[in-house]
Amino acid sequence: MIGGNESCTAGPISMSYLTCLTYILGEWTGVEHIEDYLSYAVYLLWVLYPLAVVFLLPGVIIILFYTSILLLHIYKRKNELKEAYSNDFWDGAKLMLATLWDGHGRIWHGYELHGTENIPEGPGLIVFYHGATPADYVYFMARLLIQRKRYCHVVADHFVFRLPGFKILLDVHGVMHGPKEECVNALKKGCLIAIAPGGVREALFSDEMYTIIWGNRKGFAQVAIDAKVPIIPMFTQNVREGVRTLGGIKIFRSLYERVRLPIVPVYGGFPVKLRTFIGEPIAYEPNITAEELTAKTKAALQALIEKHQKIPGNIFRALMERFQTEKKED
């Protein structure tokens, strides 16, 4: 076999670098016309590149979560001496992360928050529609903390507590498992709590029609009744257009129901316009049942969706809304 350097420079005309590499590869593999196979491979990469991008972009959210975790560890290390005598040890860290997430929401989604005047000064239970990722809730929490110095706890699915490295993030932000007693006690202490009754099932298997998937869940309503607090409905416009799932494929639904883990592929990460709207509170009524309050809350959330979301959702339209100069009216 002729040496690579000799074959590239042999003859009166020197080969280009790419041609040289192709020649060496062909000599090494023994495949004739290997440049045709390489050209086809390059063509496939060019065709599949956009598809790869839409599946990789949602990973930015994961990167931001782990960046938040890293910043918390750094913050704890630098301020560990204060922990012994400070009751508000993590306040600075919460504001730091709120600034990080609010900046991402502003830059990537032009994020807006409307209706904060509907959040009571005292305790309350925020009920929201769950998108494919919880990014819109994190943007809301960050903006609320920055603008109103108000912190909102959230009830998360059990699998979240098993994610590697997430313990410090969940502890600092007071993320709750969701037992009724824990939620009722927190509300009685004056906390603001958010919950998505649809949970992971709604996140993965709702679609651009923005169907509310609650099943028979009414525990949140009983929590509000027992704690004697109002329920505040909340919805984020275009949340389904930012990130979508392949939940419409039946095998993924069957697999989820069997293992109860969110293993449905997601795609997107598009910089669509996101606006969170907070509806009017549903006041506490001593004689209302959990079933009645659930139906009332679902109707209020459905009304927010119908008012602020064009159905079916459209990714291109949601992208174009980033360039609208006038804000959508509340």
Side-chain angles (χ1 to χ4, degrees):
M1 180 175 177
I2 302 173
N5 291 335
E6 293 177 4
S7 63
C8 289
T9 57
I13 302 176
S14 298
M15 298 182 185
S16 68
Y17 184 69
L18 183 59
T19 305
C20 177
L21 290 178
T22 303
Y23 179 83
I24 294 173
L25 187 60
E27 288 287 304
W28 182 60
T29 60
V31 177
E32 296 182 0
H33 307 294
I34 195 171
E35 63 274 5
D36 294 335
Y37 294 99
L38 292 176
S39 297
Y40 183 65
V42 171
Y43 172 75
L44 282 179
L45 287 175
W46 179 78
V47 171
L48 296 176
Y49 178 76
L51 185 62
V53 169
V54 299
F55 278 97
L56 291 174
L57 272 178
V60 173
I61 301 298
I62 303 299
I63 293 172
L64 280 175
F65 274 121
Y66 277 102
T67 300
S68 300
I69 291 169
L70 177 61
L71 290 174
L72 287 177
H73 280 291
I74 294 173
Y75 180 88
K76 183 178 182 180
R77 182 75 175 185
K78 290 178 66 66
N79 296 275
E80 58 187 3
L81 294 178
K82 299 179 182 178
E83 190 171 11
Y85 57 85
S86 175
N87 294 326
D88 302 318
F89 175 76
W90 290 111
D91 283 358
K94 290 178 182 178
L95 189 58
M96 173 181 63
L97 296 188
T99 304
L100 171 67
W101 281 93
D102 186 61
H104 183 268
R106 287 176 184 272
I107 294 170
W108 195 246
H109 294 291
Y111 180 75
E112 298 175 12
L113 176 59
H114 300 270
T116 55
E117 66 277 3
N118 290 324
I119 298 177
E121 293 298 326
L125 184 64
I126 294 177
V127 175
F128 64 97
Y129 172 85
H130 203 314
T133 73
D136 62 307
Y137 167 77
V138 180
Y139 297 147
F140 154 75
M141 180 185 66
R143 185 68 59 86
L144 186 68
L145 182 60
I146 291 172
Q147 289 187 348
R148 300 207 26 199
K149 309 303 179 187
R150 188 81 190 275
Y151 189 76
C152 182
H153 299 268
V154 67
V155 178
D157 192 272
H158 292 289
F159 89 91
V160 176
F161 295 87
R162 299 196 294 269
L163 292 174
F166 266 58
K167 185 179 186 305
I168 187 171
L169 186 66
L170 301 176
D171 289 345
V172 169
H173 288 287
V175 179
M176 307 168 71
H177 285 279
K180 293 179 183 178
E181 297 77 12
E182 182 183 3
C183 294
V184 170
N185 291 336
L187 288 168
K188 286 182 176 180
K189 292 177 182 178
C191 293
L192 186 65
I193 297 178
I195 185 171
V200 177
R201 188 175 282 105
E202 185 172 81
L204 298 180
F205 305 112
S206 187
D207 53 24
E208 64 272 15
M209 300 305 293
Y210 286 83
T211 305
I212 297 175
I213 304 177
W214 287 2
N216 296 320
R217 293 182 177 178
K218 54 181 182 291
F220 73 93
Q222 191 61 55
V223 166
I225 293 172
D226 292 345
K228 301 180 180 180
V229 299
I231 287 179
I232 306 101
M234 184 174 78
F235 170 71
T236 299
Q237 181 189 59
N238 295 326
V239 66
R240 279 280 158 192
E241 281 57 72
V243 176
R244 288 190 173 175
T245 76
L246 298 182
I249 301 176
K250 291 183 178 180
I251 188 173
F252 290 127
R253 182 63 179 266
S254 300
L255 193 58
Y256 170 77
E257 297 298 344
R258 184 179 296 273
V259 301
R260 294 299 177 91
L261 291 174
I263 53 179
V264 178
V266 299
Y267 66 95
F270 305 114
V272 300
K273 183 68 177 182
L274 294 183
R275 296 184 179 96
T276 294
F277 295 94
I278 301 171
E280 295 183 2
I282 302 171
Y284 164 71
E285 298 177 28
N287 298 321
I288 197 170
T289 65
E291 290 79 7
E292 293 171 337
L293 185 55
T294 298
K296 199 170 182 178
T297 304
K298 188 174 183 179
L301 185 57
Q302 186 65 52
L304 278 180
I305 294 173
E306 292 175 358
K307 180 178 180 180
H308 300 294
Q309 182 65 52
K310 293 182 180 179
I311 297 177
N314 182 278
I315 294 173
F316 179 75
R317 182 178 62 234
L319 287 169
M320 291 301 99
E321 288 179 3
R322 288 293 305 275
F323 302 100
Q324 293 179 355
T325 55
E326 296 182 1
K327 295 181 180 179
K328 188 178 180 68
E329 294 181 359
D330 293 351

